[in-house]
Amino acid sequence: MFLTVTTTHRPASDLGFLLHKHPGRVQSFALSAGQAHVFYPEASDEQCTAALLMEVDPVALVRGKTGAGDGFTLGQYVNDRPYAASSLLSVALKEVFRTALTGRCKARPELAASPIPLEIRVPACPGGADLVRRLFEPLGWAVEATALPLDPQFPQWGESRYSDLRLTGELRLADALNHLYVLLPVLDNAKHYWVSEDEIDKLIRAGGNWLAAHPDKELITRRYLAHRRTLTAAALTRLAEVDDAEPEEIDNALAAPVVLDEPDRPVPLAQQRRGTIMAVLRSLDAHTVGDFGCGEGALVRDLLAERSVERIVATDVSAHALQVAARKLRLERMSERERARLELFQSSLTYRDDRLAGLDAAVLMEVVEHVDPPRLEALERTVFRFAAPRAVVVTTPNREYNVRFESLPAGKLRHRDHRFEWTRAEFRAWTDRVASSYGYAVRMLPVGADDPEVGPATQLALFTKGGEA
């Protein structure tokens, strides 16, 4: 199998610096499934092409397999693995161009950070032309996919499932390589090795800055993870954080979110929200913090990174959400010292739970709008009377801002599991009543840009006990 990367950026031979492979030498790399070779068919100031050739050893692919099943069938040895782009070529990309995939280049750092004209050719790409366009065009590529005949000697047999693929565009080389690393096995829809939980980390690292916004992210994630439902759900949960969407796999988010993005924002709203909350907690000098309704643990991860926070109480009503959080936070790999800082358990905010008491601060991040209005008073008693932390931080969507979401139909809520969304006046009325009822002072803060007409995307209330907020 074979692919080429070509640039006309001048001097084009700088491609050798970006790939960390000298244009004047042929280099070979031993891989578990065969041998990879890198060479340059052309290298001038005007145009430079780097080629990656993967020689596959079919016997090595099945060596060590036992049993009387597929490991002994002829199909294990006679197949398209040596010729068509697949996870084998993706692994070769990672092993051979490991540093280039990260975007690091000490010799040409400004070039590594800049989009340059690129043309990538994959002469035998599986998946069909329509699917290739669906996957690559949203990423900024111009796609030319010419279907290959099943057998050139017998045109009446029709077209094969392979295309001669050419991608052209102006992108960072690191982005281009990461697109290939993820999407080649997706197009092939099969992996040559066992897919485990580690594959989620690989997918997030390679696709973290583009996959969350891709219109076919579910298809990409499912195929990349070999259709393993548990792994796919966990990966979509992590991508949902990047995209500011609650994952439907978590019990309290039963349907896909309607709003996936905030227009024209440099930083995802979810990240801005957590950043604002962490800034508030620092200003409070809070050493013991509760994340009530912690979901998949995004805020918990930030709290663990804050060394001044000595104790973290993270709860959710959803047992499945807590399982996802434990997996994402890698509880089983934590040191004893780190694990001692975190208490993760199931609890409902509409019932008294003495384990929630005695904290410096509690956070309800995007929680109240998931509670049925008749149950809000029960939540208020649990949090403000029985748990009674020194401070409470509550964030919730601002309904007035919804008109700024082009993808949100008029009158619709941002998420199908939201029981309501408050205007600024409605949120202010609720916070004033709660503060008055339970002896807190309250102050309102915006999260995200404060639109002069409709206010911020997220509204935050800081309750402080026994004094001015």
Side-chain angles (χ1 to χ4, degrees), residues 353-431:
D353 189 337
D354 291 338
R355 293 175 296 177
L356 308 182
L359 298 169
D360 292 339
V363 178
L364 283 74
M365 184 176 72
E366 309 298 281
V367 169
V368 294
E369 64 272 12
H370 290 275
V371 179
D372 289 317
R375 301 294 293 160
L376 274 177
E377 289 190 8
L379 177 146
E380 295 163 14
R381 289 194 298 271
T382 297
V383 174
F384 293 92
R385 175 180 296 173
F386 300 129
R390 180 164 55 87
V392 180
V393 181
V394 178
T395 73
T396 192
N398 170 21
R399 191 177 77 211
E400 296 167 84
Y401 193 89
N402 288 356
V403 297
R404 296 292 186 255
F405 293 105
E406 295 181 2
S407 61
L408 184 63
K412 292 288 186 180
L413 302 182
R414 297 185 196 179
H415 195 285
R416 293 175 189 173
D417 189 57
H418 286 182
R419 280 21 180 196
F420 60 87
E421 287 173 3
W422 278 321
T423 64
R424 286 171 291 175
E426 289 168 337
F427 186 45
R428 181 84 223 196
W430 179 79
T431 59

Coordinates of all heavy atoms in Angstrom, one line a residue, residues 353-431:
D353 N -29.0 14.2 51.8 CA -27.9 13.2 51.8 C -26.8 13.9 52.7 O -26.2 14.9 52.2 CB -27.4 12.9 50.4 CG -26.3 11.8 50.4 OD1 -25.7 11.6 51.4 OD2 -26.1 11.2 49.3
D354 N -26.6 13.4 53.9 CA -25.6 14.1 54.8 C -24.2 14.0 54.3 O -23.3 14.7 54.8 CB -25.7 13.4 56.2 CG -27.1 13.8 56.9 OD1 -27.7 14.8 56.5 OD2 -27.5 13.0 57.8
R355 N -23.9 13.1 53.3 CA -22.6 13.1 52.8 C -22.2 14.3 52.0 O -21.0 14.6 51.7 CB -22.4 11.9 51.8 CG -22.5 10.5 52.5 CD -22.5 9.4 51.5 NE -23.7 9.4 50.7 CZ -23.9 8.6 49.6 NH1 -23.0 7.6 49.4 NH2 -25.0 8.7 48.9
L356 N -23.2 15.2 51.7 CA -23.0 16.4 50.9 C -22.7 17.6 51.8 O -22.4 18.7 51.3 CB -24.2 16.7 50.1 CG -24.7 15.6 49.1 CD1 -25.9 16.1 48.3 CD2 -23.6 15.1 48.2
A357 N -22.8 17.4 53.1 CA -22.6 18.5 54.1 C -21.1 18.8 54.4 O -20.3 18.0 54.2 CB -23.4 18.2 55.3
G358 N -20.9 20.0 54.8 CA -19.6 20.4 55.4 C -18.6 20.9 54.3 O -17.4 20.8 54.6
L359 N -19.0 21.3 53.2 CA -18.1 21.7 52.1 C -17.9 23.3 52.1 O -18.8 24.0 52.4 CB -18.7 21.3 50.7 CG -18.8 19.8 50.5 CD1 -19.6 19.5 49.3 CD2 -17.4 19.1 50.5
D360 N -16.8 23.7 51.6 CA -16.6 25.1 51.4 C -17.5 25.6 50.2 O -18.0 26.7 50.3 CB -15.1 25.4 51.0 CG -14.2 25.2 52.2 OD1 -14.6 25.2 53.3 OD2 -13.0 25.0 51.9
A361 N -17.6 24.8 49.2 CA -18.4 25.3 48.0 C -19.0 24.1 47.3 O -18.4 23.0 47.3 CB -17.5 26.1 47.0
A362 N -20.1 24.3 46.7 CA -20.8 23.3 45.9 C -21.1 23.9 44.5 O -21.4 25.1 44.4 CB -22.1 22.8 46.5
V363 N -20.9 23.1 43.5 CA -21.2 23.6 42.1 C -22.3 22.7 41.5 O -22.3 21.5 41.5 CB -19.9 23.4 41.2 CG1 -20.2 23.8 39.8 CG2 -18.8 24.2 41.8
L364 N -23.3 23.4 40.9 CA -24.4 22.8 40.1 C -24.2 23.4 38.7 O -24.8 24.4 38.4 CB -25.8 23.1 40.7 CG -26.2 22.3 41.9 CD1 -25.5 22.8 43.2 CD2 -27.7 22.4 42.1
M365 N -23.4 22.7 37.9 CA -23.1 23.1 36.6 C -24.1 22.5 35.6 O -24.0 21.3 35.3 CB -21.6 22.8 36.2 CG -21.2 23.3 34.8 SD -19.4 22.9 34.5 CE -19.5 21.1 34.2
E366 N -25.0 23.3 35.0 CA -25.9 22.9 34.0 C -26.7 21.7 34.6 O -26.9 20.7 33.9 CB -25.3 22.5 32.7 CG -24.3 23.6 32.2 CD -25.1 24.9 31.8 OE1 -25.7 25.0 30.8 OE2 -24.9 25.8 32.6
V367 N -27.3 21.9 35.8 CA -28.0 20.8 36.4 C -29.5 21.2 36.6 O -30.4 20.4 36.3 CB -27.4 20.5 37.8 CG1 -28.3 19.6 38.6 CG2 -26.0 19.9 37.7
V368 N -29.8 22.4 37.1 CA -31.1 22.7 37.5 C -32.1 22.6 36.4 O -33.3 22.2 36.6 CB -31.2 24.1 38.1 CG1 -30.5 24.2 39.4 CG2 -30.7 25.2 37.1
E369 N -31.7 22.9 35.1 CA -32.6 22.8 34.0 C -33.1 21.4 33.6 O -34.0 21.2 32.8 CB -32.1 23.5 32.8 CG -30.8 22.9 32.2 CD -29.5 23.4 32.8 OE1 -29.6 24.0 33.9 OE2 -28.5 23.1 32.3
H370 N -32.4 20.4 34.2 CA -32.7 19.0 34.0 C -33.7 18.5 35.1 O -34.1 17.3 35.0 CB -31.5 18.1 34.0 CG -30.6 18.3 32.8 ND1 -30.8 17.6 31.6 CD2 -29.5 19.1 32.7 CE1 -29.8 18.0 30.8 NE2 -29.1 18.9 31.4
V371 N -34.1 19.3 36.0 CA -35.0 19.0 37.1 C -36.4 19.4 36.8 O -36.6 20.6 36.4 CB -34.5 19.5 38.4 CG1 -35.5 19.2 39.6 CG2 -33.1 19.1 38.7
D372 N -37.4 18.6 37.0 CA -38.8 19.0 36.8 C -39.1 20.1 37.7 O -38.8 20.1 38.9 CB -39.8 17.8 37.0 CG -39.7 16.8 35.9 OD1 -39.6 17.2 34.7 OD2 -39.7 15.6 36.2
P373 N -39.8 21.2 37.3 CA -40.0 22.4 38.1 C -40.7 22.0 39.5 O -40.3 22.6 40.5 CB -41.0 23.2 37.2 CG -40.5 22.9 35.8 CD -40.2 21.5 35.9
P374 N -41.6 21.1 39.6 CA -42.2 20.8 40.9 C -41.2 20.2 41.9 O -41.4 20.2 43.1 CB -43.3 19.7 40.6 CG -43.6 20.0 39.1 CD -42.4 20.4 38.5
R375 N -40.0 19.7 41.3 CA -39.0 19.1 42.2 C -37.9 20.1 42.6 O -37.0 19.7 43.3 CB -38.4 17.9 41.5 CG -39.3 16.8 41.2 CD -39.9 16.1 42.4 NE -38.9 15.4 43.2 CZ -39.0 15.1 44.5 NH1 -40.1 15.5 45.1 NH2 -38.1 14.4 45.1
L376 N -38.0 21.3 42.1 CA -36.9 22.3 42.3 C -36.8 22.6 43.8 O -35.8 22.8 44.4 CB -37.1 23.6 41.5 CG -36.6 23.5 40.1 CD1 -36.9 24.8 39.4 CD2 -35.0 23.4 40.1
E377 N -38.0 22.7 44.5 CA -38.0 23.1 45.9 C -37.3 22.0 46.7 O -36.5 22.3 47.7 CB -39.4 23.3 46.4 CG -40.0 24.6 45.9 CD -41.3 24.9 46.6 OE1 -41.7 24.2 47.6 OE2 -42.0 25.8 46.2
A378 N -37.4 20.8 46.3 CA -36.7 19.7 47.0 C -35.2 19.8 46.8 O -34.4 19.6 47.7 CB -37.2 18.3 46.5
L379 N -34.8 20.2 45.6 CA -33.4 20.4 45.3 C -32.8 21.6 46.2 O -31.7 21.5 46.7 CB -33.2 20.7 43.8 CG -31.7 21.0 43.4 CD1 -31.5 20.5 42.0 CD2 -31.5 22.5 43.4
E380 N -33.6 22.6 46.3 CA -33.2 23.8 47.0 C -33.0 23.4 48.5 O -31.9 23.8 49.1 CB -34.3 24.9 47.0 CG -34.5 25.5 45.6 CD -35.8 26.2 45.4 OE1 -36.4 26.5 46.5 OE2 -36.2 26.5 44.3
R381 N -33.9 22.6 49.1 CA -33.7 22.2 50.5 C -32.4 21.3 50.7 O -31.7 21.5 51.6 CB -34.9 21.4 51.0 CG -36.2 22.3 51.2 CD -37.2 21.6 51.9 NE -37.7 20.4 51.2 CZ -38.7 20.4 50.3 NH1 -39.3 21.5 50.1 NH2 -39.1 19.2 49.7
T382 N -32.2 20.4 49.7 CA -31.1 19.5 49.8 C -29.8 20.3 49.8 O -28.9 20.0 50.6 CB -31.1 18.5 48.7 OG1 -32.3 17.7 48.8 CG2 -29.9 17.6 48.7
V383 N -29.7 21.2 48.9 CA -28.4 21.9 48.7 C -28.3 23.0 49.7 O -27.2 23.1 50.3 CB -28.4 22.5 47.2 CG1 -27.1 23.4 47.1 CG2 -28.4 21.3 46.2
F384 N -29.3 23.9 49.8 CA -29.1 25.1 50.6 C -29.4 25.0 52.1 O -28.8 25.7 52.9 CB -29.9 26.3 50.0 CG -29.5 26.7 48.6 CD1 -30.0 26.1 47.5 CD2 -28.5 27.7 48.5 CE1 -29.6 26.5 46.2 CE2 -28.0 28.1 47.2 CZ -28.6 27.5 46.1
R385 N -30.3 24.0 52.5 CA -30.6 23.9 53.9 C -29.8 22.7 54.5 O -29.1 22.9 55.5 CB -32.1 23.6 54.1 CG -32.4 23.3 55.5 CD -33.9 23.0 55.7 NE -34.7 24.2 55.4 CZ -36.0 24.2 55.3 NH1 -36.7 23.1 55.6 NH2 -36.7 25.3 55.1
F386 N -29.8 21.6 53.9 CA -29.1 20.4 54.5 C -27.6 20.3 54.2 O -26.9 20.1 55.1 CB -29.9 19.1 54.0 CG -31.3 19.1 54.4 CD1 -32.3 18.8 53.4 CD2 -31.7 19.4 55.7 CE1 -33.6 18.8 53.7 CE2 -33.1 19.4 56.0 CZ -34.0 19.1 55.0
A387 N -27.2 20.5 53.0 CA -25.8 20.5 52.7 C -25.2 21.8 53.1 O -24.1 21.8 53.7 CB -25.6 20.3 51.2
A388 N -25.8 22.9 52.8 CA -25.5 24.2 53.3 C -24.0 24.5 53.2 O -23.3 24.9 54.2 CB -25.9 24.4 54.8
P389 N -23.4 24.5 52.0 CA -22.0 24.9 51.9 C -21.8 26.4 52.1 O -22.8 27.1 52.0 CB -21.6 24.5 50.5 CG -23.0 24.5 49.8 CD -24.0 24.0 50.8
R390 N -20.6 26.8 52.3 CA -20.3 28.2 52.5 C -20.7 29.0 51.2 O -21.1 30.2 51.3 CB -18.9 28.4 52.9 CG -18.4 29.8 53.1 CD -17.1 29.9 53.8 NE -16.0 29.2 53.2 CZ -15.2 29.7 52.2 NH1 -15.4 30.9 51.8 NH2 -14.3 28.9 51.7
A391 N -20.5 28.4 50.0 CA -20.9 29.0 48.8 C -21.4 28.0 47.8 O -21.1 26.8 47.9 CB -19.6 29.7 48.2
V392 N -22.3 28.5 46.9 CA -22.9 27.6 45.9 C -22.8 28.3 44.6 O -23.1 29.5 44.5 CB -24.4 27.3 46.2 CG1 -25.0 26.4 45.1 CG2 -24.6 26.6 47.6
V393 N -22.3 27.6 43.6 CA -22.2 28.2 42.2 C -23.2 27.4 41.3 O -23.1 26.2 41.3 CB -20.8 28.0 41.6 CG1 -20.7 28.6 40.2 CG2 -19.8 28.7 42.6
V394 N -24.1 28.1 40.7 CA -25.1 27.5 39.8 C -25.0 28.1 38.4 O -25.0 29.4 38.3 CB -26.5 27.8 40.3 CG1 -27.6 27.2 39.4 CG2 -26.7 27.2 41.7
T395 N -24.9 27.3 37.4 CA -24.9 27.8 36.0 C -26.1 27.2 35.3 O -26.5 26.0 35.6 CB -23.6 27.5 35.2 OG1 -23.6 26.1 34.9 CG2 -22.4 27.9 36.0
T396 N -26.6 27.9 34.3 CA -27.8 27.4 33.6 C -27.9 28.2 32.3 O -27.4 29.3 32.2 CB -29.1 27.6 34.4 OG1 -30.2 26.8 33.8 CG2 -29.5 29.0 34.5
P397 N -28.5 27.6 31.2 CA -28.6 28.3 30.0 C -29.4 29.6 30.1 O -30.4 29.7 30.9 CB -29.2 27.3 29.0 CG -29.0 26.0 29.6 CD -28.9 26.2 31.1
N398 N -29.1 30.6 29.3 CA -29.9 31.8 29.2 C -30.8 31.7 27.9 O -30.3 31.7 26.8 CB -29.0 33.0 29.0 CG -29.7 34.3 28.7 OD1 -30.9 34.4 28.8 ND2 -29.0 35.3 28.1
R399 N -32.1 31.5 28.2 CA -33.0 31.3 27.0 C -33.0 32.4 26.0 O -33.2 32.2 24.8 CB -34.4 31.0 27.6 CG -35.4 30.5 26.5 CD -36.7 30.2 27.1 NE -37.5 31.4 27.3 CZ -38.4 31.6 28.3 NH1 -38.6 30.6 29.2 NH2 -39.1 32.7 28.4
E400 N -32.8 33.6 26.5 CA -32.8 34.7 25.6 C -31.7 34.6 24.5 O -31.9 35.1 23.4 CB -32.6 36.1 26.3 CG -33.8 36.3 27.3 CD -33.4 37.5 28.3 OE1 -33.6 38.6 27.9 OE2 -33.0 37.2 29.4
Y401 N -30.6 33.9 24.9 CA -29.5 33.8 23.9 C -29.8 32.8 22.8 O -29.0 32.8 21.8 CB -28.2 33.4 24.7 CG -27.0 33.6 23.9 CD1 -26.2 34.7 24.0 CD2 -26.5 32.5 23.2 CE1 -25.0 34.9 23.3 CE2 -25.3 32.6 22.5 CZ -24.6 33.8 22.5 OH -23.4 33.9 21.8
N402 N -30.8 32.0 22.9 CA -31.1 31.0 22.0 C -31.2 31.5 20.5 O -31.0 30.7 19.6 CB -32.3 30.1 22.4 CG -32.0 29.3 23.6 OD1 -30.9 29.2 24.1 ND2 -33.0 28.6 24.1
V403 N -31.7 32.7 20.4 CA -31.8 33.2 19.0 C -30.5 33.4 18.3 O -30.5 33.5 17.1 CB -32.6 34.6 19.1 CG1 -34.0 34.5 19.6 CG2 -31.7 35.6 19.9
R404 N -29.4 33.3 19.0 CA -28.1 33.4 18.4 C -27.6 32.1 17.8 O -26.6 32.1 17.1 CB -27.1 34.0 19.4 CG -27.3 35.4 19.9 CD -27.2 36.4 18.8 NE -27.3 37.8 19.2 CZ -28.4 38.5 19.0 NH1 -29.4 38.0 18.3 NH2 -28.4 39.8 19.5
F405 N -28.3 31.0 18.1 CA -27.9 29.7 17.6 C -28.7 29.5 16.3 O -29.9 29.2 16.3 CB -28.3 28.6 18.6 CG -27.4 28.6 19.8 CD1 -28.0 29.1 21.0 CD2 -26.1 28.2 19.8 CE1 -27.3 29.1 22.2 CE2 -25.4 28.2 21.0 CZ -25.9 28.7 22.2
E406 N -28.0 29.5 15.2 CA -28.6 29.3 13.9 C -29.2 27.9 13.7 O -30.2 27.8 13.0 CB -27.6 29.6 12.8 CG -27.1 31.0 12.7 CD -26.2 31.3 11.5 OE1 -25.9 30.3 10.8 OE2 -25.7 32.4 11.4
S407 N -28.6 26.9 14.4 CA -29.1 25.6 14.3 C -30.3 25.2 15.1 O -30.9 24.1 15.1 CB -28.0 24.6 14.6 OG -27.5 24.8 15.9
L408 N -30.7 26.2 16.0 CA -31.8 25.9 16.9 C -33.1 26.5 16.4 O -33.3 27.7 16.3 CB -31.4 26.5 18.3 CG -32.4 26.3 19.5 CD1 -32.5 24.8 19.7 CD2 -32.0 27.0 20.7
P409 N -34.1 25.6 16.2 CA -35.4 26.2 15.7 C -36.0 27.1 16.8 O -35.9 26.9 18.0 CB -36.2 24.9 15.5 CG -35.2 23.8 15.3 CD -34.1 24.2 16.2
A410 N -36.8 28.0 16.3 CA -37.4 29.0 17.2 C -38.3 28.3 18.2 O -39.1 27.4 17.8 CB -38.2 30.0 16.4
G411 N -38.2 28.6 19.5 CA -39.0 28.0 20.5 C -38.5 26.7 21.1 O -39.1 26.2 22.1
K412 N -37.5 26.2 20.5 CA -36.9 24.9 21.0 C -35.9 25.2 22.1 O -35.2 26.2 22.1 CB -36.2 24.1 19.8 CG -37.2 23.6 18.8 CD -38.0 22.5 19.3 CE -38.9 21.9 18.2 NZ -39.7 20.8 18.7
L413 N -35.8 24.2 23.0 CA -34.7 24.2 24.0 C -33.4 23.7 23.5 O -33.4 23.0 22.5 CB -35.2 23.5 25.3 CG -36.5 23.9 25.9 CD1 -36.8 23.1 27.1 CD2 -36.5 25.4 26.3
R414 N -32.3 24.0 24.2 CA -31.0 23.6 23.7 C -30.8 22.1 23.7 O -30.0 21.5 23.0 CB -29.9 24.3 24.5 CG -29.9 25.8 24.3 CD -28.7 26.4 25.0 NE -28.9 27.8 25.2 CZ -28.0 28.6 25.8 NH1 -26.9 28.1 26.2 NH2 -28.3 29.9 25.9
H415 N -31.5 21.4 24.6 CA -31.4 20.0 24.8 C -32.7 19.4 25.1 O -33.5 20.0 25.8 CB -30.4 19.7 25.9 CG -29.9 18.3 26.0 ND1 -30.7 17.2 26.4 CD2 -28.7 17.7 25.6 CE1 -30.0 16.1 26.3 NE2 -28.8 16.4 25.8
R416 N -33.0 18.2 24.5 CA -34.3 17.6 24.7 C -34.6 17.2 26.1 O -35.7 16.9 26.5 CB -34.4 16.4 23.7 CG -34.5 16.9 22.3 CD -34.5 15.7 21.3 NE -34.3 16.1 19.9 CZ -34.1 15.3 18.9 NH1 -34.2 14.0 19.1 NH2 -34.0 15.8 17.7
D417 N -33.6 17.0 26.9 CA -33.8 16.6 28.3 C -34.0 17.8 29.2 O -34.3 17.7 30.4 CB -32.6 15.8 28.8 CG -32.8 15.2 30.2 OD1 -33.8 14.5 30.3 OD2 -32.1 15.5 31.1
H418 N -33.8 19.1 28.7 CA -34.1 20.2 29.5 C -35.6 20.3 29.8 O -36.4 20.3 28.9 CB -33.6 21.5 28.8 CG -32.1 21.7 28.8 ND1 -31.5 22.8 28.2 CD2 -31.1 20.9 29.3 CE1 -30.2 22.6 28.3 NE2 -30.0 21.5 29.0
R419 N -35.9 20.5 31.1 CA -37.3 20.7 31.5 C -37.8 22.1 31.3 O -38.9 22.4 31.1 CB -37.5 20.3 32.9 CG -37.6 18.8 33.3 CD -37.1 17.8 32.4 NE -37.3 16.5 33.0 CZ -36.7 15.4 32.5 NH1 -35.8 15.5 31.5 NH2 -37.0 14.2 33.0
F420 N -36.8 23.0 31.3 CA -37.1 24.5 31.1 C -35.7 25.1 30.8 O -34.7 24.6 31.0 CB -37.7 25.1 32.4 CG -36.9 25.0 33.6 CD1 -35.9 25.9 33.9 CD2 -37.0 23.9 34.4 CE1 -35.1 25.8 35.0 CE2 -36.2 23.7 35.6 CZ -35.2 24.7 35.8
E421 N -35.8 26.4 30.4 CA -34.6 27.3 30.3 C -35.1 28.7 30.7 O -36.1 29.1 30.2 CB -34.0 27.2 28.9 CG -33.3 25.9 28.6 CD -32.9 25.8 27.1 OE1 -33.1 26.8 26.3 OE2 -32.3 24.8 26.7
W422 N -34.4 29.3 31.6 CA -34.8 30.5 32.2 C -34.3 31.7 31.4 O -33.1 31.7 30.9 CB -34.3 30.7 33.6 CG -35.1 30.0 34.6 CD1 -36.5 29.9 34.7 CD2 -34.6 29.3 35.8 NE1 -36.9 29.2 35.8 CE2 -35.8 28.8 36.5 CE3 -33.4 29.0 36.3 CZ2 -35.7 28.1 37.7 CZ3 -33.3 28.3 37.5 CH2 -34.4 27.9 38.2
T423 N -35.1 32.8 31.3 CA -34.5 34.1 30.9 C -33.7 34.7 32.0 O -33.7 34.1 33.2 CB -35.7 35.1 30.6 OG1 -36.4 35.3 31.8 CG2 -36.6 34.5 29.5
R424 N -33.0 35.8 31.8 CA -32.2 36.4 32.8 C -33.1 36.8 34.0 O -32.8 36.6 35.2 CB -31.5 37.6 32.3 CG -30.3 37.2 31.4 CD -29.7 38.4 30.7 NE -30.6 38.9 29.7 CZ -30.4 40.0 29.0 NH1 -29.3 40.7 29.2 NH2 -31.2 40.4 28.0
A425 N -34.3 37.4 33.7 CA -35.2 37.8 34.7 C -35.7 36.7 35.5 O -35.8 36.8 36.8 CB -36.4 38.6 34.1
E426 N -36.0 35.6 34.9 CA -36.6 34.4 35.6 C -35.5 33.8 36.5 O -35.8 33.4 37.6 CB -37.1 33.4 34.6 CG -38.4 33.8 33.9 CD -38.7 32.9 32.7 OE1 -37.7 32.3 32.1 OE2 -39.9 32.9 32.3
F427 N -34.3 33.7 36.0 CA -33.2 33.2 36.8 C -32.9 34.1 38.0 O -32.7 33.6 39.1 CB -31.9 33.0 36.0 CG -30.8 32.3 36.7 CD1 -31.0 31.2 37.4 CD2 -29.5 32.8 36.5 CE1 -29.9 30.5 38.0 CE2 -28.4 32.2 37.2 CZ -28.6 31.1 37.9
R428 N -33.0 35.4 37.8 CA -32.7 36.4 38.8 C -33.8 36.2 39.9 O -33.5 36.3 41.1 CB -32.7 37.8 38.3 CG -32.5 38.9 39.3 CD -31.0 39.0 39.5 NE -30.7 39.2 41.0 CZ -29.6 39.6 41.4 NH1 -28.6 40.0 40.6 NH2 -29.3 39.7 42.7
A429 N -35.1 36.1 39.5 CA -36.2 35.9 40.5 C -35.9 34.6 41.3 O -36.2 34.6 42.5 CB -37.5 35.8 39.7
W430 N -35.5 33.5 40.7 CA -35.3 32.3 41.4 C -34.1 32.4 42.4 O -34.2 32.0 43.5 CB -35.0 31.2 40.4 CG -34.7 29.8 41.1 CD1 -35.7 29.0 41.6 CD2 -33.5 29.2 41.3 NE1 -35.0 27.9 42.1 CE2 -33.7 28.0 42.0 CE3 -32.1 29.6 41.0 CZ2 -32.6 27.1 42.3 CZ3 -31.1 28.8 41.4 CH2 -31.3 27.6 42.1
T431 N -33.0 33.0 41.9 CA -31.9 33.2 42.8 C -32.2 34.1 44.0 O -31.7 33.8 45.1 CB -30.6 33.7 42.0 OG1 -31.0 35.0 41.5 CG2 -30.2 32.7 40.9

